Amino acid sequence: MKEIHHWIDGKEYKGTSGRFSDVYNPATGEVQARLSLITKAEMDDAIARAAKAQIAWGATNPQRRARVMMAFVGLINRDMDKLAEALSSEHGKTFPDAKGDIQRGLEVIEFCIGAPHLLKGEFTDSAGPGIDMYSMRQPLGVVAGITPFNFPAMIPLWKMGPALSAGNAMILKPSERDPSVPLMLAKLLQEAGLPDGVLQVVNGDKESVDAILDSEVIQAVGFVGSTPIAQYIYERAAATGKRAQCFGGAKNHMIIMPDADLNQAADALVGAGYGAAGERCMAISVAVPVGEKTADALIEKLIPRIEKLKVGPWTAGNDIDYGPVVTKAAKENILRLVQSGVDQGADLVVDGRDFNLQGYEDGFFVGPHLFDRVTPDMDIYKTEIFGPVLSTVRAATYEDAIKLALDHEYGNGTAIYTRDGDTARDFANRINIGMVGINVPIPVPLAYHTFGGWKKSGFGDLNQHGPDAFRFYTRTKTVTARWPSGIKEGGEFNFKAMD
């Protein structure tokens, strides 16, 4: 059985815990590797080694750090297919989707090549007689990233790129469900010129997460995952004086106005709702057609599109629409929620409960589901299902539709399909959600903007990637310098305002 280890001080480290986690092939349900889990003592040692390595890395000028990122971009492009194959084999997503996962992370690394500009401070000459003032953006020291299974390349790259470019060392704890790609990325960073010890990749469970949160050395934590865990990490990190940006669950609504192009809207819903088997925090899981006529026409267009979806393993070719979900437990939870929707009175107009893929009966495949006439009191509306399930909530008016999104506890992403500029502008201004699409179903910002949700989808003041990431991973130091001619002798004991 293959064993997957840690990456400490620029080399593989087996660990001594004797504890392992199984890594599955989601398409077959078979265990394909064992993942070594780190001990608290080993975690503390990795953190201490990172702190030692960070001193020289933090003193390296930003342009030289940016050159490491530049080389890293080339190496990721060189090994794109190799990385995507490893990602698909552990996560289950299709090969094109795996490459997209890597590409969206790569774009953040490309943005980080501009770190010298992003780390510039401010300067004011002659703030007073002979007085100049300037600010410096300096690294925090050692920071940590705790990343989820659903984007095993993209989100680690979102964390490590800005953190390392800003001069920090990073402890990265990826998901134990698909750990290989983060380790491969660490090796590529070493090849790109990153000094040993500046990036430590450690594998573990809650014990390792708590070791990160309780460490007095680690200054900041970035997390992506479920809302309960995001809130737990945010509160515990804050209690120990750390910065934290923690992103949680989602229930993303897409409003379809009567004037929308329904063919475009239906295509968008299918791609955004069922891509990656719905295991995206930006997936559209709630369709909100406005008016009965719009709803009837939309359902009529959705049903044949959904019934034609091709579900299979990533090895079956690039025409597969989506693959299995990540674990057996995830599959069981999705089907439990589907059954709750039926029991609570929603219309299951596309029923994927009996889906069975010949030759892959033990895999974690879930057929596509479409609900109509879902109401806000139902579990399938309130809960993040994280599977290939689309719920349709009919709204009588635009005001009813927008109220659904406004009132939901999650505020990650949302979209509206309309041809009316006034409606689109009103929606974008009024909605209390962090990322908004206008005729765009999955409004994930590009790398030079920031990514983040509102309400219970995000905890912390600063978002991921873009300028916010460099603010998060640095401290501002302001210097007041005085070089007057004819300095007088003797001290002054009163605190004077600037002349």
Side-chain angles (χ1 to χ4, degrees), residues 23-32 88-90 314 324 326 362-364:
V23 178
Y24 288 88
N25 178 343
T28 65
E30 297 172 332
V31 176
Q32 61 177 317
S88 291
S89 68
E90 291 182 351
W314 72 274
V326 71
D362 294 327
F364 310 139

Side-chain angles (χ1 to χ4, degrees), residues 160-458:
M160 67 174 72
L164 298 176
S165 299
N168 300 284
M170 170 162 269
I171 306 295
L172 177 66
K173 196 214 83 68
S175 171
E176 59 271 28
R177 297 173 188 172
D178 42 17
S180 289
V181 170
L183 291 163
M184 295 168 72
L185 292 172
K187 294 176 184 179
L188 291 183
L189 266 171
Q190 182 188 53
E191 186 178 348
L194 187 73
D196 294 345
V198 175
L199 175 65
Q200 315 277 50
V201 182
V202 295
N203 295 300
D205 49 18
K206 185 178 183 297
E207 181 180 320
S208 64
V209 171
D210 288 344
I212 287 171
L213 297 175
D214 293 341
S215 169
E216 295 181 357
V217 176
I218 290 176
Q219 300 298 302
V221 178
F223 170 82
V224 178
S226 68
T227 287
I229 305 303
Q231 190 162 1
Y232 168 79
I233 290 175
Y234 180 74
E235 291 173 353
R236 189 155 175 169
T240 54
K242 295 175 176 58
R243 292 186 180 186
Q245 50 172 207
C246 301
F247 299 95
K251 199 70 178 179
N252 304 320
H253 296 61
M254 185 172 123
I255 295 173
I256 302 95
M257 297 299 294
D259 67 336
D261 183 319
L262 290 187
N263 285 313
Q264 288 184 358
D267 287 340
L269 280 168
V270 171
Y274 300 94
E279 292 179 320
R280 294 171 175 161
C281 66
M282 290 294 285
I284 293 294
S285 54
V286 182
V288 187
V290 175
E292 289 295 316
K293 183 178 178 181
T294 306
D296 290 342
L298 180 67
I299 292 294
E300 184 179 345
K301 290 181 180 296
L302 283 173
I303 290 173
R305 285 169 165 83
I306 295 168
E307 290 177 340
K308 290 177 183 176
L309 287 172
K310 194 171 182 180
V311 183
W314 72 274
T315 51
N318 291 348
D319 62 337
I320 296 295
D321 293 308
Y322 73 84
V325 296
V326 71
T327 62
K328 182 179 180 181
K331 176 180 178 177
E332 291 172 347
N333 185 59
I334 293 163
L335 295 177
R336 177 186 62 79
L337 283 164
V338 168
Q339 187 59 48
S340 78
V342 174
D343 294 342
Q344 292 171 13
D347 293 342
L348 185 57
V349 293
V350 177
D351 187 349
R353 288 176 293 179
D354 294 330
F355 179 84
N356 191 30
L357 189 62
Q358 187 174 358
Y360 295 90
E361 289 81 5
D362 294 327
F364 310 139
F365 292 95
V366 179
H369 297 76
L370 173 64
F371 279 103
D372 191 12
R373 302 188 185 279
V374 174
T375 56
D377 60 315
M378 295 178 180
D379 290 341
I380 55 171
Y381 176 77
K382 294 184 290 185
T383 305
E384 182 179 34
I385 300 174
F386 227 56
V389 182
L390 180 64
S391 298
T392 306
V393 181
R394 296 177 176 228
T397 67
Y398 166 71
E399 289 298 329
D400 292 336
I402 197 172
K403 188 175 187 301
L404 288 166
L406 285 167
D407 290 351
H408 204 284
E409 65 176 343
Y410 292 128
N412 206 44
T414 189
I416 187 169
Y417 267 65
T418 181
R419 294 172 177 173
D420 184 78
D422 289 344
T423 302
R425 193 171 188 275
D426 179 78
F427 181 77
N429 279 280
R430 287 174 59 192
I431 203 67
N432 57 351
I433 289 170
M435 291 168 284
V436 181
I438 297 172
N439 300 319
V440 174
I442 305 180
V444 176
L446 293 176
Y448 40 87
H449 287 266
T450 62
F451 179 108
W454 291 12
K455 297 185 279 188
K456 287 192 176 180
S457 292

